[in-house]
Amino acid sequence: MRIGVLTGGGDCPGLNAVIRAAVRKGTELGHEFVGFRHGWKGPIDGITQPLNWEEVENILDQGGTVLHSSRTNPYKVDGGVEAIKSNMSKLGIDALIAIGGEDTLGVAKKLTDDGVNCVGVPKTIDNDLNATDYTFGFDTAVNIATEAIDRLWTTAKSHDRCIVVEIMGRHAGWMTLHAGMAGGANVVLIPEVKFDIKKVIAQVQERFDADKATIVAVSEGALSADGDMILKDGEVDAFGHVKLGGVGDWIANQITEGTGRETRCVVLGHTQRGGTPTAFDRVLATRLGLQAAEAVHEGDFGKMMALQGTDIKRVDLSEATAELKTVPAQRYTEVEAFFGV
Amino acid sequence: MRIGVLTGGGDCPGLNAVIRAAVRKGTELGHEFVGFRHGWKGPIDGITQPLNWEEVENILDQGGTVLHSSRTNPYKVDGGVEAIKSNMSKLGIDALIAIGGEDTLGVAKKLTDDGVNCVGVPKTIDNDLNATDYTFGFDTAVNIATEAIDRLWTTAKSHDRCIVVEIMGRHAGWMTLHAGMAGGANVVLIPEVKFDIKKVIAQVQERFDADKATIVAVSEGALSADGDMILKDGEVDAFGHVKLGGVGDWIANQITEGTGRETRCVVLGHTQRGGTPTAFDRVLATRLGLQAAEAVHEGDFGKMMALQGTDIKRVDLSEATAELKTVPAQRYTEVEAFFGV
Amino acid sequence: MRIGVLTGGGDCPGLNAVIRAAVRKGTELGHEFVGFRHGWKGPIDGITQPLNWEEVENILDQGGTVLHSSRTNPYKVDGGVEAIKSNMSKLGIDALIAIGGEDTLGVAKKLTDDGVNCVGVPKTIDNDLNATDYTFGFDTAVNIATEAIDRLWTTAKSHDRCIVVEIMGRHAGWMTLHAGMAGGANVVLIPEVKFDIKKVIAQVQERFDADKATIVAVSEGALSADGDMILKDGEVDAFGHVKLGGVGDWIANQITEGTGRETRCVVLGHTQRGGTPTAFDRVLATRLGLQAAEAVHEGDFGKMMALQGTDIKRVDLSEATAELKTVPAQRYTEVEAFFGV
Amino acid sequence: MRIGVLTGGGDCPGLNAVIRAAVRKGTELGHEFVGFRHGWKGPIDGITQPLNWEEVENILDQGGTVLHSSRTNPYKVDGGVEAIKSNMSKLGIDALIAIGGEDTLGVAKKLTDDGVNCVGVPKTIDNDLNATDYTFGFDTAVNIATEAIDRLWTTAKSHDRCIVVEIMGRHAGWMTLHAGMAGGANVVLIPEVKFDIKKVIAQVQERFDADKATIVAVSEGALSADGDMILKDGEVDAFGHVKLGGVGDWIANQITEGTGRETRCVVLGHTQRGGTPTAFDRVLATRLGLQAAEAVHEGDFGKMMALQGTDIKRVDLSEATAELKTVPAQRYTEVEAFFGV
């Protein structure tokens, strides 16, 4: 078989490790590979690059993706799906390995239904994909955020201050939950549990009263319970929700006003997405890539590779994209044990 | 209740995170804590230290154990068990949380049978404890070893050489398996699969012939299939086994002789055991500590806290120590995919 | 002698290393130490803490300052200087070691003139203090910023984008200069050299035309040459200067508009100030601390410890605070060599 | 001009940064580049590789050398020098940039005398080259060793033990001096100051008596004062000197015997040589590379680029190789301040 590989969606440490492993295993099983560049844009526009062992031999430890990425969706491009089929036919491509998040895998699911041989590999630093215990990239991102919190602690303590750290996660609080727990944050705010800003201020004040500094870890998608969030530039959205990316600053301002102590927010942003993957992510990504090549080899299409316990299993692509995996209440209870003084 | 806490066996990143979480949760549940110093030596000799929130508040990110450790076994000390019971009675201690590996948990199991209220938390950088998917400390150790391999690659490539890296693991090859896969080692040798030195030399030679450098990752407990290993100081043990700690040097010498290219061995040693834990290990250790406090609170003794998938479960201490968890054949097949040129 | 020690100004990795070394050396030379908490607020309000070897033995690798810090200036507090003299007299303190930046050392200079025995140790992550080749904290901060740029590169390349990274430095561009050079930034903008936004956009466009991603490194204090910067919230300051902290976002927006490609800004912020110091900073801070204790021992007051070449020298405090050490034109020429495609 | 570039001697983080900067600057100045592979073996055997901006654009952060290295010395190869001249003539090479340590630069000096246009860039992780304040690679190596000591401390403290760490440095103790100071080692042993093993044991015992763990940092080239070192395999060399690489183990054994407490040695070895360079080393290497291109451009041959204070200067190659730069007595006094309890 000739197998096409593409990476879609946001940058994520471990993408190159998946590509490398799939190419190695698939080649060993007798197949050939072609790289499609820029996510789904690649097969739509027929943009390819060579993808044999030589090209991927030394990329295991490199962040990013040698195939480049995009957020192009063939179902939102006129004639996108037909173009993919036509280009695959022209290039003699029998199957696709699509590495991506909810959107990319959703496309892979639909394409499978539309007769294109697809296998999916789950990717998101947000860890919010269903049917897999963890996604690669998450561990790296959590380590980066944890190291940032470690650093912020020394400044918070030296200046007897509160510092707010805003962590990625629009719809799910996994990164903030894990980095908050690992960094010993005193308040952890995630999209799954609406927060009460008065309670947050009281928690910080209680710690100031006990001569203690405070770290507040907040997901970019966390929401105020009473819809009272006001954007820093004066706008309020229709639902009283703060603009994404602004919640940390808003909370810092509220704490400053509420406690009388200058409180700053640090937005970690894109530094959480890049760089060399941790060992955990390299191992997970490699195992997923090996399994993806085997699934294609066996003609087991329409499947997503998934981590379950310590095993790599294959699950239906529909399962993976059925719903967002959010933080369960019990896991939030665990970090709450460390709230307060 | 008054709860004693102790840490036994070798150093392991995450011990302090367990202690901190257990004390926090147990205190919240209304209990008091006492620290026993130097592993089982503490309760035998009645060596204690204060262990309330203040003592453990800032230790989450610190390697090592504030309770110190030892390899003392009360069942190998005259009157050891009676001394523990007597000291617990004198100090008004109702239950023990024992954090340790096979030996420490084995003692906890026996003590439970002998009427002492024990709860166990599994700890080993070797990841070879049964009934839990992973043990904390393992992820940190694997990251340290992986970073070392990353570094060694640049030297191996610059000098067109083979470098052997010896990684911890006397009886199980988990660390070498994961660090070898994460670091892109070309040969991975573990205790579970006896190796053929002639085949190893041939693999390295094949890579030299293709102008490629090589990294060989070997567990300190890996064994030659034909018992032909000779210690560097001239001794051969009765089973033809190389002295622990010497297998890497032996392999490097054999490769030097077999290929004519100077090959060095780097023994990572104790650097793998210490330092700040990764986010993964901090989260796992914290969750185990929380659960241990809850188990004691519920009087659920004789249990070990275990990670299964994404959940913390309680399993019988006997399960945990029944047998060593070694690397299954299928996992070794995964790294073999990357052997060769 | 009884020697008081204080740390003033912003957090900076290496403060604890200075304190530790000064206490060790001073004790060896027969002196006693007292810690003043919260910068100059300590001696003004008589807030002290014990400061013998036991307290500082294990703080070498810790970021922040065990003495806490503040920006209090005794010359801006009614009766501040008299309070310091009176408290020193009451506590039997003969001399002060003041560790801090321009403000802290400026106070030490004035106090010396006013008859208080002071010795200064220069501290700023900005590296903008005169009379010393480098200040501790700078190397750590530059490494943090460089690692951030390394991470951002993988995302910029994977998505064929430009990313702007805003680095600390209000009046001097040292951090941006060094991190920009170390991270391979394609455009480096510092306060010392006003930038032309049209030229910046053209540089980025030229790289896009060559299918290359771009990293723009900008100091928070960098200024547009033609005063056309507009604050993101609609305000323009009297000098056409952008609000500190907003220049990166402004540039990112301009590039987005100018090139039609979405460009984001990452503001590194306080993560650059905290955490464990690098080896360079630990060595420099330790050597400065040793020398400070010796200067006090010899009664050589009114001096600042300084790194010159590989030596620690003593210079007059007035020299250190005479003017800001900014980036010379020649050093900027060095990074310009890497601008463009 | 056509300029050849080569890298000689042991691996060192920053080599690629020099190559990249020289090629960038030299190209800007109108010159062409050719890479010679495997150190001096390259020009002797005429082994070249393309070396324009495209080849070196993305190597700044990579350890090792894309030109590969060797320890070949043309003055020890029959007809070596003539071969170099002949190959340079054939390839139209006008000048060489040689990046290396004492040996490589010594050859560059002789070749200059023999009429070959050479410019040298100093490289050694040992920092023992004359006429330059620091060499790139040293800072990276010291940071790796310091991080190792940080890790070893947690284990030493948890087990109330002494750990010996053996650090690179055969003839000069710079790495051990700086890493020992940065890591807070209690005993630091370097080649420049012969040690008394009885005194070392007494120092460790004194700390055990005070319930304190100990880290001993020792250079691989450190020597016992009374020539009583015995190799671990039973051999004693003619001068009573321990075999290089064995001194750490020997000291650990002596401490074990002398104090009755099991003491281990960790040999850091080649992990100190590889991996991505620190920001300090990337900046230094980049500035040296820029200056080397300018020196060639100006025809200023026979010179070595050197760091003096904060400036890059050109010094005569003969100065650089005149004598080894060893640790001065005063610098050793600084670490001695921290010996003892």
Side-chain angles (χ1 to χ4, degrees):
Chain A
M1 275 194 271
R2 266 167 76 82
I3 306 168
V5 183
L6 64 87
T7 53
D11 192 22
C12 184
L15 286 166
N16 282 329
V18 178
I19 298 167
R20 170 182 176 268
V23 170
R24 178 78 184 199
K25 189 69 185 182
T27 306
E28 184 191 302
L29 293 169
H31 307 292
E32 280 177 25
F33 286 84
V34 173
F36 281 116
R37 287 170 78 88
H38 312 297
W40 291 111
K41 193 170 168 24
I44 293 174
D45 295 346
I47 316 169
T48 64
Q49 69 181 59
L51 197 67
N52 53 37
W53 180 237
E54 198 165 297
E55 270 83 25
V56 301
E57 194 176 356
N58 294 309
I59 63 174
L60 169 61
D61 64 343
Q62 289 175 30
T65 162
V66 290
L67 294 176
H68 297 243
S69 186
S70 78
R71 299 192 185 274
T72 304
N73 183 333
Y75 287 94
K76 294 179 178 168
V77 172
D78 249 10
V81 177
E82 291 65 36
I84 289 178
K85 288 184 178 176
S86 153
N87 279 321
M88 285 178 68
S89 169
K90 258 188 263 173
L91 295 159
I93 309 276
D94 305 287
L96 289 178
I97 295 176
I99 312 165
E102 210 188 357
D103 293 343
T104 305
L105 298 177
V107 169
K109 165 72 186 127
K110 282 192 194 165
L111 281 176
T112 304
D113 295 343
D114 289 344
V116 178
N117 294 330
C118 285
V119 152
V121 175
K123 173 236 67 160
T124 163
I125 60 164
D126 293 330
N127 197 39
D128 57 3
L129 274 169
N130 226 5
T132 186
D133 284 0
Y134 291 103
T135 45
F136 66 85
F138 173 66
D139 186 65
T140 303
V142 169
N143 270 293
I144 295 169
T146 300
E147 193 192 303
I149 296 177
D150 283 356
R151 293 193 180 281
L152 295 175
W153 263 123
T154 76
T155 300
K157 286 179 184 172
S158 297
H159 290 278
D160 306 284
R161 278 196 193 166
C162 173
I163 296 180
V164 178
V165 54
E166 187 182 300
I167 294 170
M168 280 190 168
R170 292 184 179 218
H171 309 294
W174 289 108
M175 281 187 58
T176 307
L177 183 87
H178 277 238
M181 178 178 267
N186 312 106
V187 180
V188 175
L189 307 175
I190 60 175
E192 291 86 344
V193 184
K194 291 195 178 178
F195 66 86
D196 176 349
I197 187 66
K198 286 185 196 67
K199 201 177 138 200
V200 171
I201 294 168
Q203 286 172 301
V204 176
Q205 185 62 56
E206 199 188 357
R207 289 185 59 84
F208 279 151
D209 293 344
D211 271 331
K212 291 185 177 179
T214 300
I215 297 286
V216 176
V218 55
S219 298
E220 58 182 342
L223 295 171
S224 163
D226 50 4
D228 61 357
M229 282 197 287
I230 291 170
L231 305 191
K232 59 189 156 179
D233 54 357
E235 296 169 328
V236 191
D237 86 10
F239 309 96
H241 293 174
V242 82
K243 193 172 56 178
L244 282 179
V247 63
D249 278 333
W250 183 79
I251 292 171
N253 288 339
Q254 295 292 310
I255 293 173
T256 301
E257 282 176 30
T259 65
R261 297 245 206 140
E262 189 192 351
T263 299
R264 298 272 182 83
C265 171
V266 175
V267 181
L268 298 184
H270 275 58
T271 54
Q272 297 162 90
R273 285 203 166 281
T276 192
T278 58
F280 183 95
D281 282 337
R282 294 189 198 180
V283 168
L284 174 53
T286 297
R287 296 181 72 198
L288 292 170
L290 293 173
Q291 189 65 222
E294 288 186 359
V296 171
H297 179 67
E298 296 170 16
D300 194 10
F301 299 114
K303 295 287 166 58
M304 182 186 84
M305 310 303 109
L307 176 69
Q308 295 186 351
T310 59
D311 297 325
I312 306 298
K313 299 275 177 69
R314 298 177 199 163
V315 300
D316 204 276
L317 270 168
S318 56
E319 248 186 87
T321 54
E323 54 172 329
L324 205 72
K325 184 180 69 182
T326 52
V327 174
Q330 190 273 330
R331 290 299 311 277
Y332 192 67
T333 307
E334 291 176 355
V335 286
E336 282 184 313
F338 299 95
F339 288 10
V341 178
Chain B
M1 276 194 271
R2 266 167 76 80
I3 305 168
V5 183
L6 64 86
T7 52
D11 192 22
C12 184
L15 286 166
N16 282 329
V18 178
I19 298 167
R20 170 182 175 270
V23 168
R24 178 77 183 200
K25 188 70 185 182
T27 305
E28 185 190 301
L29 294 169
H31 307 293
E32 279 177 25
F33 285 84
V34 173
F36 281 115
R37 286 171 78 88
H38 311 297
W40 290 111
K41 193 172 168 25
I44 294 173
D45 294 347
I47 315 168
T48 64
Q49 70 181 57
L51 196 68
N52 53 37
W53 179 238
E54 199 164 296
E55 270 82 26
V56 300
E57 193 176 356
N58 294 309
I59 63 174
L60 169 61
D61 64 343
Q62 289 175 30
T65 163
V66 291
L67 294 176
H68 297 243
S69 186
S70 78
R71 300 193 184 274
T72 304
N73 182 332
Y75 287 94
K76 293 180 178 168
V77 172
D78 249 11
V81 177
E82 291 67 35
I84 289 178
K85 290 184 178 176
S86 154
N87 279 321
M88 285 178 68
S89 169
K90 258 187 263 174
L91 294 159
I93 309 277
D94 305 287
L96 289 178
I97 294 176
I99 311 164
E102 211 190 357
D103 293 343
T104 305
L105 298 177
V107 169
K109 165 70 186 131
K110 281 192 195 165
L111 281 176
T112 303
D113 295 343
D114 289 345
V116 178
N117 294 330
C118 286
V119 152
V121 175
K123 173 237 66 159
T124 162
I125 60 164
D126 293 330
N127 197 38
D128 57 3
L129 273 169
N130 226 5
T132 186
D133 284 0
Y134 292 104
T135 46
F136 66 84
F138 173 66
D139 186 64
T140 304
V142 169
N143 271 292
I144 296 169
T146 300
E147 194 193 304
I149 295 177
D150 283 356
R151 293 193 179 282
L152 295 174
W153 263 123
T154 75
T155 301
K157 286 179 184 172
S158 297
H159 290 278
D160 306 286
R161 277 196 195 166
C162 173
I163 296 181
V164 178
V165 54
E166 188 182 301
I167 294 170
M168 279 190 170
R170 293 185 178 218
H171 308 296
W174 289 107
M175 281 186 59
T176 307
L177 184 87
H178 277 238
M181 178 177 267
N186 311 106
V187 180
V188 175
L189 306 175
I190 60 176
E192 290 86 345
V193 183
K194 292 197 177 176
F195 66 85
D196 176 349
I197 188 66
K198 286 185 196 68
K199 200 177 139 201
V200 171
I201 294 169
Q203 287 172 302
V204 176
Q205 185 61 56
E206 198 187 358
R207 290 185 59 84
F208 279 150
D209 293 344
D211 270 331
K212 291 186 177 178
T214 300
I215 296 286
V216 176
V218 56
S219 297
E220 58 182 341
L223 295 172
S224 164
D226 51 4
D228 60 357
M229 282 198 286
I230 291 170
L231 305 190
K232 58 189 156 180
D233 53 358
E235 295 169 328
V236 192
D237 86 9
F239 308 97
H241 294 173
V242 80
K243 193 172 54 177
L244 282 178
V247 63
D249 278 334
W250 184 79
I251 292 171
N253 288 338
Q254 295 291 311
I255 293 172
T256 302
E257 283 176 30
T259 66
R261 297 245 207 138
E262 189 192 350
T263 300
R264 297 272 181 84
C265 172
V266 175
V267 181
L268 298 185
H270 275 58
T271 53
Q272 297 162 90
R273 285 203 167 282
T276 191
T278 58
F280 182 96
D281 281 338
R282 294 189 198 180
V283 168
L284 175 53
T286 296
R287 297 181 71 199
L288 292 170
L290 292 173
Q291 189 66 222
E294 289 186 0
V296 170
H297 179 66
E298 297 170 16
D300 193 10
F301 300 114
K303 295 287 167 59
M304 182 186 84
M305 309 303 108
L307 176 70
Q308 295 186 351
T310 59
D311 296 325
I312 306 297
K313 298 275 176 68
R314 299 178 198 163
V315 300
D316 205 276
L317 271 168
S318 55
E319 247 186 87
T321 54
E323 54 172 329
L324 205 71
K325 183 179 70 182
T326 53
V327 174
Q330 190 273 329
R331 290 300 310 278
Y332 191 67
T333 306
E334 292 176 353
V335 286
E336 282 184 312
F338 299 95
F339 288 11
V341 179
Chain C
M1 275 193 271
R2 267 167 76 80
I3 306 167
V5 184
L6 63 87
T7 54
D11 192 22
C12 183
L15 286 167
N16 282 328
V18 179
I19 299 168
R20 170 183 175 268
V23 168
R24 178 77 183 200
K25 189 69 185 182
T27 306
E28 186 190 302
L29 293 170
H31 308 292
E32 280 177 25
F33 285 85
V34 173
F36 282 115
R37 288 171 77 87
H38 310 297
W40 290 111
K41 194 173 168 20
I44 293 173
D45 295 347
I47 317 169
T48 63
Q49 70 181 57
L51 197 68
N52 53 37
W53 178 238
E54 199 164 296
E55 272 82 24
V56 301
E57 193 176 356
N58 294 308
I59 63 174
L60 169 62
D61 64 344
Q62 289 175 29
T65 162
V66 292
L67 294 176
H68 296 243
S69 187
S70 78
R71 299 193 185 275
T72 304
N73 183 333
Y75 286 94
K76 293 179 179 167
V77 172
D78 249 9
V81 177
E82 290 67 33
I84 289 177
K85 289 184 179 177
S86 153
N87 279 318
M88 285 179 66
S89 169
K90 260 189 261 172
L91 293 160
I93 309 277
D94 306 287
L96 289 178
I97 295 176
I99 311 165
E102 209 189 358
D103 293 343
T104 305
L105 298 178
V107 169
K109 165 71 185 130
K110 282 192 197 165
L111 281 176
T112 304
D113 295 342
D114 288 345
V116 179
N117 294 329
C118 286
V119 153
V121 175
K123 173 236 67 160
T124 163
I125 61 164
D126 293 330
N127 197 39
D128 57 3
L129 273 169
N130 226 4
T132 186
D133 283 359
Y134 292 104
T135 45
F136 66 85
F138 173 66
D139 186 64
T140 303
V142 169
N143 271 291
I144 296 170
T146 300
E147 194 194 303
I149 296 177
D150 283 356
R151 295 194 177 282
L152 295 174
W153 262 123
T154 77
T155 300
K157 287 179 184 172
S158 296
H159 290 278
D160 306 287
R161 277 195 195 167
C162 172
I163 297 180
V164 178
V165 55
E166 188 182 301
I167 294 171
M168 282 189 168
R170 295 183 178 219
H171 309 296
W174 289 108
M175 281 187 58
T176 307
L177 183 87
H178 278 238
M181 178 178 267
N186 311 107
V187 181
V188 175
L189 307 175
I190 60 175
E192 290 86 344
V193 184
K194 292 197 177 177
F195 66 86
D196 176 349
I197 188 67
K198 285 185 197 69
K199 199 178 140 200
V200 171
I201 294 168
Q203 286 172 302
V204 176
Q205 185 62 55
E206 198 188 358
R207 290 185 59 85
F208 279 150
D209 293 343
D211 271 330
K212 292 187 177 178
T214 301
I215 296 287
V216 176
V218 55
S219 297
E220 58 181 342
L223 295 172
S224 164
D226 50 4
D228 61 357
M229 283 197 287
I230 291 170
L231 305 191
K232 56 189 159 181
D233 54 356
E235 296 168 329
V236 192
D237 86 10
F239 309 97
H241 294 174
V242 81
K243 193 171 56 179
L244 281 181
V247 63
D249 278 333
W250 183 80
I251 292 172
N253 288 340
Q254 295 291 311
I255 293 173
T256 301
E257 282 175 32
T259 65
R261 298 247 205 136
E262 189 192 350
T263 300
R264 299 270 182 84
C265 171
V266 175
V267 181
L268 298 185
H270 275 57
T271 53
Q272 297 162 90
R273 286 203 165 283
T276 192
T278 57
F280 182 96
D281 281 338
R282 295 189 197 180
V283 168
L284 174 54
T286 296
R287 296 180 72 197
L288 293 170
L290 293 173
Q291 188 67 219
E294 288 186 359
V296 170
H297 179 66
E298 297 171 15
D300 194 8
F301 301 114
K303 295 288 166 60
M304 181 186 85
M305 310 302 110
L307 176 69
Q308 295 186 351
T310 59
D311 296 324
I312 307 296
K313 298 275 178 67
R314 298 177 200 164
V315 300
D316 205 274
L317 272 167
S318 55
E319 248 187 87
T321 53
E323 54 172 329
L324 206 70
K325 184 181 68 182
T326 52
V327 175
Q330 189 273 330
R331 290 299 311 276
Y332 191 66
T333 306
E334 291 176 354
V335 286
E336 282 184 312
F338 299 95
F339 289 9
V341 178
Chain D
M1 276 193 270
R2 267 168 76 80
I3 306 168
V5 183
L6 64 87
T7 53
D11 192 21
C12 183
L15 286 167
N16 282 329
V18 179
I19 298 168
R20 169 182 176 269
V23 169
R24 178 77 184 200
K25 189 69 184 182
T27 306
E28 186 190 302
L29 293 169
H31 307 293
E32 280 177 25
F33 286 84
V34 173
F36 282 115
R37 288 171 77 88
H38 312 297
W40 290 111
K41 194 174 169 20
I44 294 173
D45 295 346
I47 316 170
T48 64
Q49 69 181 59
L51 196 69
N52 53 36
W53 179 239
E54 198 165 296
E55 271 82 27
V56 301
E57 193 176 356
N58 294 309
I59 63 175
L60 169 62
D61 64 342
Q62 289 175 29
T65 163
V66 292
L67 294 176
H68 297 244
S69 187
S70 77
R71 299 193 186 274
T72 303
N73 183 332
Y75 288 93
K76 293 180 178 167
V77 172
D78 249 10
V81 177
E82 290 67 35
I84 289 178
K85 289 183 179 179
S86 153
N87 279 319
M88 285 179 67
S89 169
K90 259 188 261 172
L91 294 159
I93 310 277
D94 306 287
L96 289 178
I97 295 176
I99 311 165
E102 210 189 356
D103 293 343
T104 305
L105 298 178
V107 168
K109 165 71 186 131
K110 281 192 195 165
L111 281 175
T112 304
D113 295 343
D114 289 345
V116 178
N117 294 330
C118 286
V119 152
V121 176
K123 173 237 68 161
T124 163
I125 61 164
D126 293 330
N127 196 40
D128 56 4
L129 273 169
N130 225 6
T132 185
D133 284 0
Y134 292 103
T135 45
F136 66 85
F138 174 65
D139 186 65
T140 304
V142 169
N143 270 291
I144 295 169
T146 300
E147 193 193 304
I149 295 176
D150 283 356
R151 295 194 177 283
L152 295 174
W153 262 122
T154 77
T155 300
K157 286 179 184 172
S158 297
H159 290 279
D160 306 285
R161 276 194 195 167
C162 173
I163 297 180
V164 177
V165 54
E166 188 182 301
I167 294 170
M168 280 189 169
R170 294 185 178 217
H171 309 296
W174 289 107
M175 282 186 57
T176 307
L177 184 87
H178 277 238
M181 179 178 266
N186 312 106
V187 180
V188 174
L189 307 175
I190 60 176
E192 289 86 344
V193 184
K194 291 198 177 177
F195 66 85
D196 175 349
I197 187 68
K198 286 185 196 68
K199 201 178 139 199
V200 171
I201 294 168
Q203 286 172 302
V204 176
Q205 185 62 56
E206 198 188 357
R207 291 185 58 86
F208 279 151
D209 293 343
D211 271 331
K212 292 186 176 177
T214 301
I215 297 286
V216 176
V218 55
S219 297
E220 58 181 342
L223 296 172
S224 164
D226 51 3
D228 60 357
M229 284 199 284
I230 290 170
L231 306 189
K232 57 188 157 182
D233 54 357
E235 296 169 329
V236 191
D237 86 9
F239 309 96
H241 294 173
V242 79
K243 194 172 53 179
L244 282 180
V247 63
D249 278 333
W250 183 79
I251 292 172
N253 288 339
Q254 295 291 311
I255 293 173
T256 302
E257 282 176 31
T259 66
R261 298 245 206 139
E262 189 191 351
T263 300
R264 298 271 183 85
C265 172
V266 175
V267 181
L268 298 185
H270 275 59
T271 53
Q272 297 162 91
R273 286 203 166 282
T276 191
T278 57
F280 182 96
D281 282 338
R282 295 188 197 181
V283 169
L284 174 54
T286 296
R287 296 181 71 197
L288 293 170
L290 292 173
Q291 188 66 222
E294 289 187 359
V296 171
H297 178 67
E298 297 170 16
D300 194 9
F301 300 113
K303 294 287 166 61
M304 182 186 84
M305 309 303 109
L307 176 70
Q308 295 186 352
T310 59
D311 296 325
I312 306 297
K313 298 275 178 67
R314 299 178 199 163
V315 299
D316 204 275
L317 272 168
S318 56
E319 248 186 87
T321 53
E323 55 172 328
L324 206 71
K325 183 180 68 182
T326 53
V327 174
Q330 189 273 331
R331 291 299 310 276
Y332 191 67
T333 306
E334 291 176 355
V335 287
E336 281 185 313
F338 299 96
F339 288 10
V341 179

